[in-house]
Amino acid sequence: MTNPSRIDEAAKSSSEEPTAMNRRKLLKLGAGTAPILMALASRSAFGCHSTTPSAFGSICNSRPDMLQASSGCSPNYWESNTGTNYWPKPYYSSDVKVGKTTFKATTFNSVFSPSPFGSTVTLLQVLKNNGSGNIAVARACIAALLNARSGKTPSSIISESDVIQIWHEYAGSNYSYYEPTAGVKWYANSPSLTYVAGANSGGTGGIIGYLNTTWT
């Protein structure tokens, strides 16, 4: 099995072209309206608020009342809370034997592709790596995937297939960016979140910043 400490060394560019994805939620923007990545104010004691990637910029800018509640968990939560009592099936943090059947720990490549990781690197190994760039995006995508599967994040905000699509397009751009809607590019952590009074002082944005709005 690949040594987790060597995951950073395994990162590389991919020349594979993205395959057709089954769906994309697109927002019809009014003429002259540009999506703007903005910070979100938490309006709930139990969670945060977000919306679909394609609608994120314009709704946050013009209709924050349309943001939906989400109670997803961070990458650190899923890294620390492992086992079948926490991780939703069919994803496994480690090998689990049930009767005569052994369920192997879920590998990153079995869910996300293309990938900069070796074929045996598991989701948990990636979560335990604190690298930046595509490593950080991978950690955020794993958390978003587990949140969606467990129902912590409503599918009306982001589904498992949406998360896989985000990674697929990001990796297909040579680990550069993801386009939530035509002409708008989110990089790993840019553009920065814009300051919103009562929300926060702005800061990390991009793919990671968006996914962060779906967990507390």
Side-chain angles (χ1 to χ4, degrees), residues 2-154:
T2 302
N3 189 326
S5 66
R6 298 184 62 82
I7 293 179
D8 280 315
E9 298 176 11
K12 65 179 186 301
S13 297
S14 171
S15 60
E16 299 180 40
E17 293 294 330
T19 57
M21 299 304 293
N22 61 353
R23 68 191 180 91
R24 172 190 286 270
K25 292 195 280 290
L26 292 176
L27 175 71
K28 293 182 179 179
L29 300 173
T33 303
I36 302 173
L37 187 65
M38 302 194 75
L40 300 178
S42 177
R43 302 193 303 276
S44 164
F46 62 86
C48 49
H49 289 74
S50 191
T51 186
T52 64
S54 60
F56 184 75
S58 61
I59 285 183
C60 289
N61 188 33
S62 61
R63 292 296 304 276
D65 57 297
M66 294 178 65
L67 297 177
Q68 302 175 62
S70 176
S71 56
C73 298
S74 70
N76 289 338
Y77 170 89
W78 293 111
E79 174 189 340
S80 301
N81 294 275
T82 58
T84 55
N85 290 334
Y86 293 98
W87 281 39
K89 297 178 179 63
Y91 306 113
Y92 294 90
S93 58
S94 59
D95 293 355
V96 176
K97 188 173 183 179
V98 180
K100 296 182 178 180
T101 303
T102 298
F103 297 93
K104 303 293 291 182
T106 307
T107 63
F108 188 89
N109 289 354
S110 69
V111 182
F112 300 100
S113 66
S115 166
F117 309 119
S119 61
T120 61
V121 175
T122 68
L123 295 180
L124 183 59
Q125 285 178 312
V126 176
L127 284 174
K128 288 184 175 181
N129 190 285
N130 292 318
S132 58
N134 54 30
I135 302 281
V137 174
R139 294 182 77 249
C141 283
I142 292 170
L145 178 82
L146 297 176
N147 286 332
R149 182 66 182 181
S150 63
K152 294 179 183 297
T153 303

Side-chain angles (χ1 to χ4, degrees), residues 151-167:
K152 294 179 183 297
T153 303
S155 60
S156 54
I157 291 179
I158 192 168
S159 66
E160 290 175 81
S161 61
D162 293 330
V163 178
I164 293 170
Q165 178 178 321
I166 288 174
W167 174 266

